[in-house]
DNA sequence: ATTTGATTGACAGTATACTGACAATATGAC
DNA sequence: GTCATATTGTCAGTATACTGTCAATCAAAT
């Protein structure tokens, strides 16, 4: 027999995981921006800086794999970081297509200084839950993101994305 | 004594709730778009259609409160829905500033037809988890979004947002 | 060596998001 | 009735996201 049609109600929207993830993401960004206002860095820019810090001399394509951000989007992010003089872009001697990314002194400094604020924002996101529940949510969310990795447009390719990079960096 | 500085590693980024929420939101959108490709509707457009369906004659400001979307953003969303002839915008007889929103026949039809695909996408998002874990995650996420409501730029104001609407709609 | 195919960074186009501002309009105080 | 204030929709500006395309370049096959 045919299954009954889903009722069209706002409650169905409010209870949909997709809606909840969207809301939570917006809340997360709002808290991050609020805590880090003094540094004028967005969550994306912050993640890019961390990745360049831990992988000096990475190129844009590999950076996009390491933080799972869209390659096209990353272009403008990198441009903004360069304008703010937080990173340097140097042409690769081995591959004329590639531009290698490095933190400037200012970039390394802002990254060091922003950490406590970033921490505060991350704590605030889960603060309303009981400590035990925070752990459960975080564990399940980590699992879910990992298991859904291939469903995203830009799957995360953490360290293995760097296998083919030069050994000099 | 001073607390030790947070180490700057990618693992810290990968484990940060804000990063996980961003990833999961991107995955959720990708799955929604994939399942609903035939209807050419985004998650945001879908939510707006549902809200207009359940609140015919709502105006843009109240719509933004009911689905917790930014008022500025909603302007272009409404415009796109109008271009697709899924909604009508009629001036309010009571308030010359206000434009009231209604589903067209095509809008009501697409909403009815898209429901199974939306359902499928929502199921797929949590599919990788064990059934019991899905419930736990959804419950905690619902709680967290609710408790963080005031931290978002556009807090959700569900039904009470409609208290001051005309009784005619 | 030349051709084929893949990769890199860039760009154009669309769609959320948020900030801050604005004119038109409505509401309340007086 | 008038003035101060608030609200509505709109717009400009910035920042992700994703799609698709492109020239330059590289790598691999022959």
């Amino acid at each position: 027999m045919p299954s009954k049609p889903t009722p069209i109600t706002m409650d169905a929207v409010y209870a949909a995981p997709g809606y909840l993830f969207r809301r939570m993401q917006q809340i997360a960004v709002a808290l991050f921006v609020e805590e880090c206002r003094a540094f004028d860095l967005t969550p994306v820019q912050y993640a890019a800086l961390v990745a360049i810090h831990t992988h000096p001399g990475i190129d844009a394509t590999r950076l996009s794999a390491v933080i799972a951000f869209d390659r096209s989007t990353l272009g403008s992010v990198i441009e903004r970081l360069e304008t703010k003089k937080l990173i340097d872009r140097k042409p690769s001697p081995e591959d004329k297509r590639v531009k290698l990314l490095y933190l400037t002194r200012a970039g390394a400094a802002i990254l060091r200084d922003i950490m406590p604020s970033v921490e505060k924002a991350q704590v605030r996101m889960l603060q309303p839950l009981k400590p035990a529940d925070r752990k459960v949510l975080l564990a399940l969310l980590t699992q879910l993101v990992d298991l859904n990795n291939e469903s995203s447009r830009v799957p995360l390719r953490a360290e293995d994305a760097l296998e083919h990079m030069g050994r000099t960096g």
Side-chain angles (χ1 to χ4, degrees), chain A residues 8-78:
Chain A
I8 304 178
T9 65
M10 284 314 293
D11 281 349
V13 172
Y14 296 151
Y19 180 78
L20 292 169
F21 287 129
R22 173 182 299 273
R23 290 275 293 135
M24 200 53 225
Q25 210 268 323
Q26 287 176 358
I27 290 165
V29 172
L31 290 176
F32 184 103
V33 170
E34 188 183 323
E35 288 292 343
C36 302
R37 189 176 302 282
F39 301 93
D40 190 32
L41 272 192
T42 67
V44 169
Q45 291 168 10
Y46 162 75
L49 284 186
V50 172
I52 298 172
H53 171 79
T54 58
H55 303 297
I58 197 173
D59 63 278
T61 296
R62 252 148 289 270
L63 178 59
S64 103
V66 165
I67 54 183
F69 289 167
D70 185 75
R71 214 166 51 115
S72 294
T73 306
L74 211 51
S76 54
V77 175
I78 288 172

Side-chain angles (χ1 to χ4, degrees), chain A residues 67-144:
Chain A
I67 54 183
F69 289 167
D70 185 75
R71 214 166 51 115
S72 294
T73 306
L74 211 51
S76 54
V77 175
I78 288 172
E79 200 180 310
R80 266 167 238 128
L81 290 174
E82 204 182 11
T83 302
K84 293 194 212 178
K85 300 193 185 300
L86 300 181
I87 64 173
D88 273 336
R89 227 179 339 180
K90 303 179 185 174
S92 164
E94 299 174 4
D95 189 331
K96 288 183 197 165
R97 296 169 303 177
V98 171
K99 297 179 183 174
L100 305 178
L101 304 172
Y102 299 90
L103 287 193
T104 60
R105 249 163 204 259
I110 204 174
L111 194 50
R112 179 170 27 80
D113 295 345
I114 202 178
M115 294 307 289
S117 301
V118 172
E119 275 298 309
K120 246 183 266 179
Q122 302 303 321
V123 167
R124 278 183 65 191
M125 286 172 208
L126 302 183
Q127 194 87 31
L129 293 182
K130 287 180 294 211
D133 285 347
R134 288 173 214 160
K135 284 191 184 177
V136 172
L137 177 60
L138 212 46
L140 290 178
L141 195 57
T142 303
Q143 254 188 76
L144 190 57

